[in-house]
Amino acid sequence: MAMSMFSEAYDALRKVVVTQAEFDAEWQKFLNKEVVPILGTSGPDSAHAAGLDKLRERIEDSSGGGFASFFLGGLVGEAIVAAAKKTGAEAGLARRCAALKMLKHLYRAEQTGAQSVWILSPPKAYSKWVFDEIVGTEKNLTALLSKEAEVYSAANRKTMCTALHQAVACAQYSAVKLGSPDPATTTVFERWFADGTASETDIAAKMTSMGTEFTRIAAVLGSNLLVFSDEPKDRTSGGWKDWGFVYSSEKMDVVYLQNAFLKASGNSGDLWKCVLTLVHEVSHRVAATDDNRYDNGSPGKVGGRGLKPDGTFTFDYATNNADSWAYFCVDLKGMLSKCDRNAALAGTK
């Protein structure tokens, strides 16, 4: 069955590298020392992340170095095939090649003073997950493995870290303020959630419970196991225009980031939209929020436009709406301009 989640690819990666361990003898020694410690049962281990850079360096050295690889891209594919070869284990060659290719495009992205995160940035040319993409004869494998241009650039990865750092700060701030709300916090809360009929008791209880959930959101965003990933099938079938998504049922904390996020990340004035996206998506996983309405008037599960609570978009709907949670969070932290706030409330964004 074709893969659809990072977690599935990660499990396949562990099986090939950790359990089966049938690479070329010298490569197997290298993998055992530098890569196997990364591949923990619950997710990648950040304490050993430097092994991925060593793997990329080893592949580059095996392919003749950066200059040769740039002009003779096939050498990268040949180097990976050679590393994956082992006499008596011919049947699993494609999956071993796929494992090395996945590792080559997996990063522990860090920025001084900002949050770090695992990022899987496969080649743009791939329309399927790597274990489904890398199949066929050795000649075919070499050609597929030589595809190098990645979905997320180095600049994209750097900005992802910055947005994540700010998302953690926003979620933590919301947790603290909701835990002991002052009048200003209550005003912002009522702006995004109160429909005019909710009682003071209901509002106070919901602020307390949401404060607890924002603590959990901050913990996931700040986790050493958080992953940002491309989802190739979504990217090549129409979903790439959007911002991001999660699979609420996925066993690992993975946020799939799309092209609107990348475009916003390239403009410092739009970074708040990236922060908002991360809070929105993680609220789905942590607090089981829904997409009842969106900021731009796109069809949600509750009719109408915008995030301003009303007789249709009630207190109960708003307090279970991912966009409302995210806008409240960035608004409370002071990241939202009055113009952007009004547009989101009115659905004219």
Side-chain angles (χ1 to χ4, degrees):
M1 182 179 295
M3 294 181 180
S4 60
M5 297 181 183
F6 176 90
S7 298
E8 295 169 339
Y10 183 78
D11 286 346
L13 177 64
R14 289 195 76 251
K15 181 177 181 180
V16 173
V17 176
V18 180
T19 304
Q20 295 173 341
E22 295 178 329
F23 293 82
D24 164 79
E26 288 302 313
W27 263 91
Q28 190 63 62
K29 290 179 183 178
F30 169 82
L31 293 171
N32 289 343
K33 179 182 178 182
E34 302 292 351
V35 175
V36 169
I38 299 171
L39 302 177
T41 55
S42 299
D45 186 342
S46 59
H48 302 281
L52 292 174
D53 289 328
K54 294 178 181 179
L55 177 137
R56 282 184 277 271
E57 290 171 4
R58 188 178 178 97
I59 291 175
E60 182 176 309
D61 290 344
S62 299
S63 62
F67 182 83
S69 299
F70 181 82
F71 288 101
L72 301 170
L75 295 180
V76 173
E78 291 174 4
I80 292 176
V81 170
K85 277 188 175 181
K86 183 179 179 181
T87 302
E90 289 81 1
L93 177 62
R95 292 186 75 76
R96 292 194 296 277
C97 287
L100 291 177
K101 188 64 170 172
M102 181 173 173
L103 288 166
K104 187 176 187 298
H105 297 280
L106 179 63
Y107 300 88
R108 181 62 174 174
E110 299 176 298
Q111 182 180 353
T112 302
Q115 185 66 42
S116 57
V117 63
W118 295 99
I119 300 177
L120 180 63
S121 180
K124 297 177 184 178
Y126 290 3
S127 61
K128 293 175 283 188
W129 287 88
V130 64
F131 286 97
D132 296 325
E133 186 83 31
I134 305 300
V135 295
T137 65
E138 183 174 324
K139 181 178 180 180
N140 289 339
L141 295 178
T142 299
L144 290 167
L145 294 164
S146 298
K147 306 293 185 182
E148 286 285 280
E150 294 180 327
V151 173
Y152 305 139
S153 68
N156 290 150
R157 299 196 304 268
K158 181 178 179 180
T159 308
M160 287 174 189
C161 290
T162 303
L164 180 58
H165 176 67
Q166 294 189 20
V168 172
C170 281
Q172 289 174 335
Y173 187 76
S174 291
V176 170
K177 299 299 284 186
L178 288 171
S180 182
D182 54 22
T185 300
T186 302
T187 295
V188 177
F189 184 88
E190 292 180 346
R191 175 183 297 146
W192 295 100
F193 301 111
D195 62 358
T197 66
S199 69
E200 291 184 5
T201 300
D202 289 339
I203 289 172
K206 185 59 71 172
M207 283 197 287
T208 298
S209 65
M210 285 180 63
T212 300
E213 297 299 341
F214 270 111
T215 298
R216 296 176 61 215
I217 290 171
V220 170
L221 289 169
S223 169
N224 288 330
L225 296 174
L226 182 65
V227 177
F228 292 161
S229 179
D230 170 57
E231 207 293 71
K233 294 191 296 183
D234 170 83
R235 171 169 44 83
T236 56
S237 62
W240 188 233
K241 65 183 182 298
D242 297 324
W243 290 84
F245 66 95
V246 296
Y247 292 114
S248 296
S249 62
E250 188 163 12
K251 67 179 182 178
M252 296 174 67
D253 290 319
V254 184
V255 181
Y256 299 93
L257 296 178
Q258 300 163 291
N259 198 42
F261 185 101
L262 301 186
K263 288 181 177 179
S265 72
N267 183 344
S268 60
D270 286 340
L271 187 63
W272 68 271
K273 298 177 183 177
C274 299
V275 174
L276 181 127
T277 298
L278 298 179
V279 175
H280 174 124
E281 298 305 336
V282 173
S283 79
H284 283 316
R285 286 189 58 81
V286 170
T289 58
D290 211 335
D291 288 322
N292 294 320
R293 272 197 192 176
Y294 296 101
D295 59 358
N296 60 3
S298 298
K301 295 185 178 180
V302 178
R305 294 181 63 87
L307 300 179
K308 180 65 178 175
D310 54 32
T312 303
F313 187 49
T314 63
F315 178 74
D316 287 342
Y317 280 126
T319 55
N320 190 43
N321 188 54
D323 245 11
S324 300
W325 280 56
Y327 268 98
F328 163 77
C329 187
V330 297
D331 191 13
L332 186 65
K333 194 67 169 64
M335 295 184 67
L336 195 61
S337 72
K338 184 177 180 179
C339 179
D340 288 325
R341 175 200 302 153
N342 290 341
L345 289 168
T348 57
K349 181 176 174 295

